[in-house]
Amino acid sequence: MNRPIIGISELKSLILRIKTARNVDFSNYALSSLKRRVENFMLEYHLTEVDKLQLKLYKDDFFYNLFLKYILVDTTELFRDPEFWLELIEIVLKKFKHSEEYNILIPECNSGEELYTLLIILDRLNMLDNVKICLTSLSKLNVEKIETALIELKKMEVNEANFERFEKNGNIFDFFIKKGRSFKLKSDLFTNVEIIQHNFFNTELPGNYNLILYRNKTIYYNQLLKTKALKKLHSSLKTNGFIALGIKEKITYPGADNEFVTVSESERIYKKQY
Amino acid sequence: MSYKYIVIGGSAGSFQIVTGILSALPKTFNLPIFLCLHRLKHIRTGFVEALSIKSKINVVEPCDKEFIRQGKAYLAPANYHMYFDLGNFVSLSTEPAVNHSRPSIDISFASAAFTYKSKLVGILLSGANRDGAMGMKEIKENGGLTIVQDPNDCQVKTMTTAALEATNIDHVLTSDKIIDFIVNLNRTK
């Protein structure tokens, strides 16, 4: 079977149906990449028509959860952009070293790599005792996957190469225990971590975060939803709190210059001004 | 036919041809060119600078949601896929690699094919895997013009041969003829 090709009107109809049936709104996602993921999902589940996909998503909870897991994009690597993590340590994390408590939010996360990377770094810095980390995901299946702390063997080659760029002569396997054909991040690193399922756009967030990791999330939104997400995160940060975006993302909405100051242009780290 | 967008894919053996194209284009060249070239994912800097040395048109690695302008070349950034959205802007993605590649030529070609239809020229150059073949098929099916570098002219011909097997390619040209073709697009526009 060839990959089905769907039109924009079919995609919009599907989005509307999901919104009505499931109260999850993809209407302001970047349509080009969303379209391809929907087409790939249909190919994987041997569906040739959008109507049949709509019907299955409406009727079948398990199928809907599979769809959600597939559509929401994972972070595929530990220590993606090692330069970013090195900059984050110098500019941000070291400031929290002597804090009584500091709070980090990783919202809309669909795989564990950002969290696991952060935990490894905080362990290296002896900063795990006073941190509270909250990770959220829209997908129940993704939450369950992240909680397992497992990474497949086939992904470890790229993770190992990234880690070597982060820490010369370091060994990423020091942080993992082999479990069959996977590696499990050591469980003592998870003491102060909460992983929850929620709809980011429909849920109130507390305003007490010192750092929000939001790398490569807004690339899946259109400008409207990107602005909405960043404004929501701005109100969730403490004054002088930090937010990190992906290296190809920028905060560009009108008035953002008054709300955020850039602390690392190359690694896209911003600080809340007020 | 009035072509308004050019998308070029390449891998091993394509760098010199791309620099040849960019150095041959006049400063007044007024079509956007999208470059999806396989590259080392962890090397973030240097590639766009190398392509810019002899180019008279501006070569950039776009940020997400960057508006597409005429007469500019857009190089897919390392470790990101590059899409083109209705509204004429670039969308990036960190979806898994396709054909072991991120950026993937298939993704950029298919997205450009869907968005620009018959206004698109797709060009596939030398390369060592099959990435780009399905993308060329989608360009053809959406009414765009398809060109591959003559496999006998390629340093590595796996990529162009795969495209020729996947679809009925409009033109098979040497690298010199590809450069002439692109330069002439500006005149016939």
Side-chain angles (χ1 to χ4, degrees):
Chain A
M1 178 182 158
N2 287 330
R3 187 166 60 87
I5 306 290
I6 59 173
I8 291 297
S9 57
E10 284 178 302
L11 183 62
K12 285 186 173 170
S13 152
L14 175 69
I15 288 167
L16 189 63
R17 191 74 185 262
I18 294 170
K19 189 179 174 184
T20 310
R22 302 286 179 178
N23 196 26
V24 170
D25 187 4
F26 289 108
S27 54
N28 286 307
Y29 271 58
L31 290 183
S32 54
S33 56
L34 179 64
K35 174 177 136 38
R36 190 172 178 96
R37 293 196 297 283
V38 172
E39 288 167 349
N40 286 343
F41 180 81
M42 289 171 69
L43 177 65
E44 189 149 330
Y45 289 89
H46 308 289
L47 293 162
T48 51
E49 291 163 30
V50 174
D51 283 353
K52 285 186 182 157
L53 172 63
Q54 286 186 3
L55 200 63
K56 269 182 91 71
L57 290 175
Y58 184 70
K59 283 185 165 176
D60 186 339
D61 286 351
F62 182 70
F63 186 77
Y64 168 72
N65 280 316
L66 288 177
F67 175 79
L68 209 53
K69 182 175 186 300
Y70 196 98
I71 291 300
L72 302 170
V73 181
D74 293 354
T75 304
T76 51
E77 300 166 19
L78 292 172
F79 289 89
R80 183 186 163 104
D81 303 314
E83 303 91 336
F84 161 77
W85 293 104
L86 291 166
E87 187 94 324
L88 188 76
I89 291 170
E90 289 307 315
I91 294 182
V92 179
L93 294 177
K94 282 185 175 175
K95 289 191 193 312
F96 307 145
K97 178 94 181 168
H98 302 293
S99 303
E100 210 168 284
E101 182 182 289
Y102 61 100
N103 296 289
I104 300 177
L105 175 67
I106 313 177
E108 294 193 284
C109 213
N110 300 306
S111 61
E113 279 80 353
E114 290 285 271
L115 171 67
Y116 307 156
T117 303
L118 180 67
L119 291 174
I120 290 169
I121 288 171
L122 293 178
D123 185 52
R124 270 281 193 264
L125 297 171
N126 289 320
M127 288 177 61
L128 276 172
D129 290 342
N130 48 344
V131 70
K132 280 201 176 353
I133 300 173
C134 177
L135 179 146
T136 77
S137 177
L138 178 61
S139 157
K140 180 182 148 211
L141 295 181
N142 282 340
V143 165
E144 289 168 4
K145 185 180 72 178
I146 294 165
E147 282 173 339
T148 66
L150 289 170
I151 294 186
E152 295 162 73
L153 173 65
K154 65 181 181 188
K155 289 187 172 178
M156 287 309 279
E157 191 181 340
V158 68
N159 293 335
E160 195 179 6
N162 283 350
F163 189 67
E164 279 171 12
R165 282 180 203 103
F166 170 78
E167 186 181 291
K168 215 172 182 182
N169 304 322
N171 184 359
I172 198 160
F173 294 100
D174 291 348
F175 299 91
F176 289 87
I177 297 161
K178 191 153 187 333
K179 285 247 172 185
R181 294 192 62 77
S182 297
F183 285 86
K184 186 176 168 66
L185 190 63
K186 288 180 177 172
S187 55
D188 54 341
L189 272 59
F190 282 83
T191 310
N192 295 323
V193 178
E194 184 185 26
I195 301 172
I196 52 175
Q197 181 201 0
H198 81 199
N199 186 332
F200 171 74
F201 289 101
N202 299 348
T203 312
E204 285 290 314
L205 292 171
N208 65 338
Y209 291 103
N210 302 86
L211 168 65
I212 296 174
L213 291 181
Y214 204 58
R215 299 201 303 151
N216 298 315
K217 305 293 177 207
T218 72
I219 57 179
Y220 300 106
Y221 304 153
N222 68 12
Q223 195 61 48
L224 191 75
L225 194 60
K226 176 180 173 178
T227 300
K228 188 177 173 186
L230 291 175
K231 281 181 174 283
K232 190 177 172 86
L233 293 175
H234 176 268
S235 63
S236 305
L237 277 173
K238 283 182 177 172
T239 301
N240 295 323
F242 297 90
I243 181 167
L245 305 185
I247 56 169
K248 288 291 170 186
E249 296 168 298
K250 284 180 180 173
I251 300 180
T252 52
Y253 61 81
D257 288 352
N258 298 323
E259 296 179 354
F260 291 104
V261 60
T262 307
V263 293
S264 172
E265 180 70 34
S266 62
E267 306 307 324
R268 305 287 191 231
I269 303 172
Y270 301 86
K271 185 162 83 171
K272 177 174 172 170
Q273 295 217 76
Y274 68 86
Chain B
M1 178 54 70
S2 175
Y3 298 109
K4 295 195 169 158
Y5 301 88
I6 302 169
V7 63
I8 300 175
S11 185
S14 68
F15 179 77
Q16 278 189 326
I17 305 160
V18 174
T19 52
I21 292 167
L22 292 170
S23 63
L25 295 177
K27 206 175 172 180
T28 54
F29 191 80
N30 59 2
L31 280 77
I33 300 180
F34 309 119
L35 302 169
C36 187
L37 307 174
H38 290 170
R39 53 190 296 190
L40 294 172
K41 70 187 189 70
H42 61 278
I43 307 289
R44 275 161 48 178
T45 55
F47 201 5
V48 78
E49 291 80 0
L51 289 173
S52 298
I53 289 172
K54 290 183 179 174
S55 177
K56 295 180 200 76
I57 67 167
N58 197 3
V59 185
V60 295
E61 272 183 11
C63 276
D64 182 60
K65 308 286 176 294
E66 187 157 328
F67 191 72
I68 294 161
R69 299 191 185 281
Q70 294 184 337
K72 220 169 167 181
Y74 296 86
L75 173 69
N79 220 3
Y80 284 91
H81 295 303
M82 183 164 72
Y83 286 86
F84 312 97
D85 256 298
L86 297 169
N88 219 21
F89 57 87
V90 170
S91 282
L92 301 176
S93 129
T94 57
E95 291 158 325
V98 173
N99 301 313
H100 309 288
S101 309
R102 186 167 61 193
S104 154
I105 302 168
D106 271 347
I107 284 191
S108 284
F109 277 17
S111 177
F114 183 82
T115 304
Y116 303 124
K117 306 276 191 298
S118 63
K119 293 175 185 152
L120 179 71
V121 180
I123 301 173
L124 191 63
L125 304 173
S126 173
N129 78 1
R130 298 178 63 85
D131 195 22
M134 294 317 292
M136 283 302 252
K137 187 166 180 275
E138 294 204 30
I139 292 174
K140 181 77 183 169
E141 286 171 357
N142 278 277
L145 185 79
T146 50
I147 298 173
V148 297
Q149 187 183 357
D150 186 337
N152 296 320
D153 185 55
C154 290
Q155 219 176 81
V156 188
K157 60 183 171 188
T158 315
M159 198 174 259
T160 50
T161 306
L164 285 163
E165 284 166 5
T167 190
N168 188 15
I169 296 291
D170 295 301
H171 300 295
V172 180
L173 303 175
T174 62
S175 54
D176 288 345
K177 294 285 181 198
I178 288 172
I179 292 170
D180 290 347
F181 180 90
I182 297 174
V183 171
N184 281 327
L185 274 180
N186 201 39
R187 296 192 189 118
T188 56
K189 185 172 172 278

